[in-house]
Amino acid sequence: MNSPGSTSVEEILTQAAAVAGADATGAVPIRTGAHAIYKLRCGIIARIGKPGSMDAARRELWVSRWLNESGIDTVEAASSLDQPIVVDDRPVTWWQLIPDHRPATPAELGEALQRLHSVAAPTTFTLPEYDPFSGLLETIEFATTLDDGDRGWLTQHEQQLRSRYQRLPAPRRHCVIHGDAWQGNLVVPPDGPPTFLDLDKISTGRPEWDLIQLAVDHSDFNRLTTADYQSFVTAYGGTDMTATPDFRIFADIQELRWTAFAITLSTRNPGAETEAAHRIACLRGRIDKPWTWQAF
């Protein structure tokens, strides 16, 4: 018997598919970040969650059904397959393929977020409260690829950001948020509406967390032109995060989260280890903005 955590994602997929009644032969990997995502030949997407994330996987299925019933177009679970299936403590869920899609434009994302933020929270289950610091200290503390200098600086940086965030005024709004809102998580098929993907961070919280990623892309990375960013702002209703007095605290936390993600991947990906070191150097002020960070 394999010890917990020793089963490869390919083996997990094969075993889960056999239990659910799907054919994983020839499955194509799409992404291997926090979740491993595969495309099956039958037009199904398999999503393999992190160890111990069964409750989150169940909630993603509930969220998909609830949002679609609420008029928010969202990726749909494959109702023909049993799910979630757990293999080696990792839940596997099955989703309908959205064929031939493209990432949303900034304007399409702004409009979709405006609608999402107007939806009343579900009554049949409870969404978690969004915690921007979730897992950060653990990632920093247990990362084997960090030297003591970077580990100490990141720990202090996280504590300072947490203190600054806790001193913010009470939020003007508290609503349903996506939690990882960028153009790649809202996809547009040729003959259909923009559709939300990656539902694992759907929660309740400050709407700023859904606005900060594009604001930072524009301000700190130049990944978004002024015209594209303004189209996002206009479509959302006029809220420009870069013009708010609290912009920097949201931006700094988001950039630390992106850095922690690269650190998490670095134990099994030499490219991610190099990228994590680069991101830390940026945060520490050793590289001038605009920054260039590689995506994973």
Side-chain angles (χ1 to χ4, degrees):
M1 177 181 291
N2 291 333
S3 60
S6 65
T7 310
S8 71
V9 289
E10 291 82 6
E11 292 174 312
I12 290 172
L13 175 61
T14 299
Q15 293 179 35
V19 173
D23 181 6
T25 305
V28 177
I30 297 176
R31 192 167 69 199
T32 56
H35 295 76
I37 302 176
Y38 284 79
K39 177 183 174 181
L40 277 58
R41 293 187 299 182
C42 57
I44 297 295
I45 296 294
R47 184 177 172 90
I48 303 173
K50 295 179 290 187
S53 61
M54 180 63 164
D55 289 344
R58 285 199 186 99
R59 188 169 58 247
E60 287 178 56
L61 297 169
W62 298 338
V63 163
S64 171
R65 184 181 308 111
W66 158 66
L67 283 179
N68 280 298
E69 291 174 352
S70 300
I72 304 296
D73 292 291
T74 306
V75 61
E76 296 186 26
S79 58
S80 61
L81 299 177
D82 291 335
Q83 58 177 322
I85 304 296
V86 179
V87 178
D88 198 20
D89 201 31
R90 299 188 67 173
V92 182
T93 51
W94 316 99
W95 302 88
Q96 298 290 349
L97 174 69
I98 303 174
D100 303 323
H101 60 261
R102 61 168 173 81
T105 65
E108 288 168 335
L109 180 59
E111 182 179 357
L113 288 176
Q114 195 276 334
R115 294 179 61 234
L116 176 65
H117 293 176
S118 300
V119 171
T123 57
T124 56
F125 63 97
T126 301
L127 290 176
E129 179 74 14
Y130 183 75
D131 178 7
F133 296 95
S134 176
L136 288 181
L137 275 182
E138 292 83 356
T139 296
I140 295 166
E141 180 179 357
F142 295 111
T144 58
T145 55
L146 294 177
D147 62 34
D148 290 341
D150 281 341
R151 192 189 318 277
W153 186 89
L154 288 167
T155 300
Q156 184 178 39
H157 186 55
E158 192 272 354
Q159 293 170 345
Q160 290 172 342
L161 292 179
R162 187 186 293 268
S163 178
R164 287 168 57 197
Y165 186 68
Q166 290 172 344
R167 293 197 300 269
L168 286 178
R172 292 186 298 273
R173 290 183 63 198
H174 190 272
C175 61
V176 174
I177 64 173
H178 183 274
D180 189 16
W182 64 290
Q183 299 96 306
N185 276 343
L186 181 74
V187 299
V188 186
D191 300 311
T195 301
F196 280 111
L197 305 180
D198 284 5
L199 311 179
D200 56 301
K201 291 185 176 64
I202 294 279
S203 49
T204 58
R206 294 176 181 261
E208 289 94 332
W209 290 118
D210 278 349
L211 306 180
I212 191 59
Q213 294 202 39
L214 266 68
V216 168
D217 278 349
H218 173 59
S219 66
D220 290 3
F221 294 88
N222 280 351
R223 290 192 288 228
L224 211 60
T225 67
T226 298
D228 280 343
Y229 179 62
Q230 286 304 317
S231 73
F232 172 74
V233 170
T234 300
Y236 183 75
T239 301
D240 179 358
M241 279 291 292
T242 67
T244 63
D246 299 321
F247 164 66
R248 198 64 252 168
I249 179 61
F250 287 97
D252 290 349
I253 295 171
Q254 182 62 58
E255 289 163 356
L256 178 58
R257 291 190 61 81
W258 283 337
T259 301
F261 178 65
I263 293 171
T264 300
L265 297 181
S266 65
T267 56
R268 60 182 185 275
N269 183 334
E273 182 176 358
T274 300
E275 177 64 18
H278 171 69
R279 294 185 184 189
I280 293 169
C282 290
L283 297 189
R284 298 191 70 170
R286 295 169 176 169
I287 298 174
D288 292 335
K289 298 175 184 176
W291 297 328
T292 300
W293 291 7
Q294 300 300 315
F296 290 96

Short mmCIF file of all heavy atoms in Angstrom, two decimals, residues 185-208:
data_model
loop_
_atom_site.label_atom_id
_atom_site.label_comp_id
_atom_site.label_asym_id
_atom_site.label_seq_id
_atom_site.Cartn_x
_atom_site.Cartn_y
_atom_site.Cartn_z
N ASN A 185 -9.51 33.07 -15.62
CA ASN A 185 -10.54 32.38 -14.84
C ASN A 185 -11.95 32.80 -15.22
O ASN A 185 -12.91 32.42 -14.55
CB ASN A 185 -10.32 32.61 -13.34
CG ASN A 185 -9.31 31.65 -12.76
OD1 ASN A 185 -9.00 30.63 -13.38
ND2 ASN A 185 -8.77 31.96 -11.59
N LEU A 186 -12.06 33.57 -16.30
CA LEU A 186 -13.36 33.86 -16.92
C LEU A 186 -13.15 33.62 -18.41
O LEU A 186 -12.44 34.38 -19.07
CB LEU A 186 -13.80 35.30 -16.66
CG LEU A 186 -15.16 35.67 -17.25
CD1 LEU A 186 -16.29 35.03 -16.43
CD2 LEU A 186 -15.35 37.18 -17.31
N VAL A 187 -13.72 32.54 -18.92
CA VAL A 187 -13.45 32.16 -20.31
C VAL A 187 -14.69 32.38 -21.17
O VAL A 187 -15.83 32.34 -20.67
CB VAL A 187 -12.98 30.70 -20.41
CG1 VAL A 187 -11.69 30.50 -19.62
CG2 VAL A 187 -14.06 29.73 -19.93
N VAL A 188 -14.44 32.62 -22.45
CA VAL A 188 -15.53 32.97 -23.37
C VAL A 188 -15.53 31.98 -24.54
O VAL A 188 -14.60 31.99 -25.36
CB VAL A 188 -15.37 34.41 -23.90
CG1 VAL A 188 -16.59 34.80 -24.74
CG2 VAL A 188 -15.18 35.39 -22.75
N PRO A 189 -16.55 31.12 -24.63
CA PRO A 189 -16.66 30.22 -25.78
C PRO A 189 -17.15 30.98 -27.01
O PRO A 189 -17.66 32.11 -26.88
CB PRO A 189 -17.68 29.18 -25.32
CG PRO A 189 -18.50 29.88 -24.29
CD PRO A 189 -17.61 30.89 -23.64
N PRO A 190 -17.03 30.40 -28.20
CA PRO A 190 -17.44 31.11 -29.41
C PRO A 190 -18.90 31.52 -29.42
O PRO A 190 -19.25 32.60 -29.93
CB PRO A 190 -17.14 30.10 -30.53
CG PRO A 190 -16.13 29.17 -29.97
CD PRO A 190 -16.42 29.09 -28.51
N ASP A 191 -19.76 30.68 -28.88
CA ASP A 191 -21.20 30.96 -28.95
C ASP A 191 -21.86 30.94 -27.58
O ASP A 191 -22.99 30.47 -27.43
CB ASP A 191 -21.88 29.92 -29.87
CG ASP A 191 -21.34 29.93 -31.28
OD1 ASP A 191 -21.23 31.04 -31.86
OD2 ASP A 191 -20.99 28.85 -31.78
N GLY A 192 -21.17 31.45 -26.60
CA GLY A 192 -21.74 31.44 -25.26
C GLY A 192 -21.25 32.61 -24.44
O GLY A 192 -20.39 33.37 -24.87
N PRO A 193 -21.80 32.75 -23.24
CA PRO A 193 -21.43 33.88 -22.39
C PRO A 193 -20.12 33.65 -21.67
O PRO A 193 -19.66 32.50 -21.53
CB PRO A 193 -22.60 33.93 -21.39
CG PRO A 193 -23.01 32.49 -21.27
CD PRO A 193 -22.82 31.89 -22.64
N PRO A 194 -19.47 34.70 -21.16
CA PRO A 194 -18.30 34.52 -20.30
C PRO A 194 -18.65 33.64 -19.10
O PRO A 194 -19.71 33.80 -18.48
CB PRO A 194 -17.97 35.95 -19.87
CG PRO A 194 -18.51 36.81 -20.97
CD PRO A 194 -19.77 36.12 -21.41
N THR A 195 -17.76 32.70 -18.80
CA THR A 195 -18.06 31.67 -17.81
C THR A 195 -16.93 31.57 -16.80
O THR A 195 -15.76 31.45 -17.18
CB THR A 195 -18.25 30.31 -18.51
OG1 THR A 195 -19.32 30.41 -19.46
CG2 THR A 195 -18.57 29.21 -17.51
N PHE A 196 -17.27 31.62 -15.52
CA PHE A 196 -16.27 31.54 -14.46
C PHE A 196 -15.73 30.12 -14.31
O PHE A 196 -16.47 29.14 -14.36
CB PHE A 196 -16.86 31.99 -13.12
CG PHE A 196 -16.94 33.48 -12.94
CD1 PHE A 196 -18.18 34.12 -12.91
CD2 PHE A 196 -15.80 34.25 -12.79
CE1 PHE A 196 -18.26 35.50 -12.74
CE2 PHE A 196 -15.86 35.61 -12.62
CZ PHE A 196 -17.10 36.25 -12.59
N LEU A 197 -14.41 30.04 -14.09
CA LEU A 197 -13.73 28.79 -13.76
C LEU A 197 -13.11 28.91 -12.37
O LEU A 197 -13.17 29.95 -11.73
CB LEU A 197 -12.60 28.51 -14.76
CG LEU A 197 -12.91 28.47 -16.25
CD1 LEU A 197 -11.62 28.18 -17.02
CD2 LEU A 197 -13.96 27.41 -16.56
N ASP A 198 -12.49 27.81 -11.91
CA ASP A 198 -11.71 27.78 -10.66
C ASP A 198 -12.51 28.36 -9.49
O ASP A 198 -12.32 29.50 -9.08
CB ASP A 198 -10.39 28.54 -10.84
CG ASP A 198 -9.37 27.74 -11.62
OD1 ASP A 198 -9.72 26.65 -12.11
OD2 ASP A 198 -8.24 28.21 -11.76
N LEU A 199 -13.37 27.53 -8.95
CA LEU A 199 -14.32 27.98 -7.94
C LEU A 199 -13.84 27.75 -6.51
O LEU A 199 -14.59 27.99 -5.57
CB LEU A 199 -15.66 27.24 -8.15
CG LEU A 199 -16.21 27.25 -9.58
CD1 LEU A 199 -17.51 26.48 -9.64
CD2 LEU A 199 -16.40 28.68 -10.07
N ASP A 200 -12.60 27.29 -6.32
CA ASP A 200 -12.16 26.87 -4.99
C ASP A 200 -12.00 28.04 -4.02
O ASP A 200 -11.99 27.83 -2.81
CB ASP A 200 -10.85 26.09 -5.07
CG ASP A 200 -9.74 26.85 -5.76
OD1 ASP A 200 -9.93 27.22 -6.93
OD2 ASP A 200 -8.68 27.07 -5.15
N LYS A 201 -11.87 29.27 -4.53
CA LYS A 201 -11.71 30.42 -3.64
C LYS A 201 -12.97 31.29 -3.56
O LYS A 201 -12.93 32.38 -2.99
CB LYS A 201 -10.51 31.27 -4.06
CG LYS A 201 -9.17 30.58 -3.84
CD LYS A 201 -8.01 31.51 -4.15
CE LYS A 201 -6.68 30.85 -3.84
NZ LYS A 201 -6.43 29.68 -4.68
N ILE A 202 -14.08 30.82 -4.15
CA ILE A 202 -15.34 31.56 -3.99
C ILE A 202 -15.64 31.67 -2.51
O ILE A 202 -15.63 30.69 -1.78
CB ILE A 202 -16.49 30.84 -4.72
CG1 ILE A 202 -16.27 30.84 -6.24
CG2 ILE A 202 -17.82 31.46 -4.36
CD1 ILE A 202 -16.67 32.11 -6.94
N SER A 203 -15.92 32.88 -2.06
CA SER A 203 -16.07 33.12 -0.63
C SER A 203 -16.81 34.44 -0.44
O SER A 203 -17.33 35.02 -1.40
CB SER A 203 -14.69 33.19 0.04
OG SER A 203 -13.83 34.06 -0.69
N THR A 204 -16.87 34.90 0.79
CA THR A 204 -17.41 36.23 1.06
C THR A 204 -16.28 37.10 1.59
O THR A 204 -15.38 36.61 2.29
CB THR A 204 -18.57 36.19 2.07
OG1 THR A 204 -18.11 35.59 3.29
CG2 THR A 204 -19.74 35.39 1.54
N GLY A 205 -16.31 38.37 1.25
CA GLY A 205 -15.24 39.25 1.69
C GLY A 205 -15.29 40.60 1.01
O GLY A 205 -16.30 40.97 0.40
N ARG A 206 -14.20 41.31 1.11
CA ARG A 206 -14.10 42.63 0.49
C ARG A 206 -14.02 42.47 -1.04
O ARG A 206 -13.20 41.71 -1.53
CB ARG A 206 -12.84 43.35 0.98
CG ARG A 206 -12.82 43.71 2.47
CD ARG A 206 -11.48 44.32 2.82
NE ARG A 206 -11.35 44.67 4.22
CZ ARG A 206 -11.51 45.90 4.71
NH1 ARG A 206 -11.80 46.90 3.89
NH2 ARG A 206 -11.37 46.14 6.00
N PRO A 207 -14.82 43.22 -1.78
CA PRO A 207 -14.74 43.13 -3.25
C PRO A 207 -13.39 43.56 -3.79
O PRO A 207 -13.02 43.19 -4.91
CB PRO A 207 -15.86 44.05 -3.73
CG PRO A 207 -16.12 44.98 -2.58
CD PRO A 207 -15.86 44.18 -1.35
N GLU A 208 -12.63 44.31 -3.00
CA GLU A 208 -11.30 44.73 -3.45
C GLU A 208 -10.41 43.56 -3.87
O GLU A 208 -9.55 43.71 -4.75
CB GLU A 208 -10.59 45.52 -2.34
CG GLU A 208 -11.16 46.90 -2.08
CD GLU A 208 -12.20 46.91 -0.98
OE1 GLU A 208 -12.86 45.86 -0.77
OE2 GLU A 208 -12.36 47.95 -0.31
#
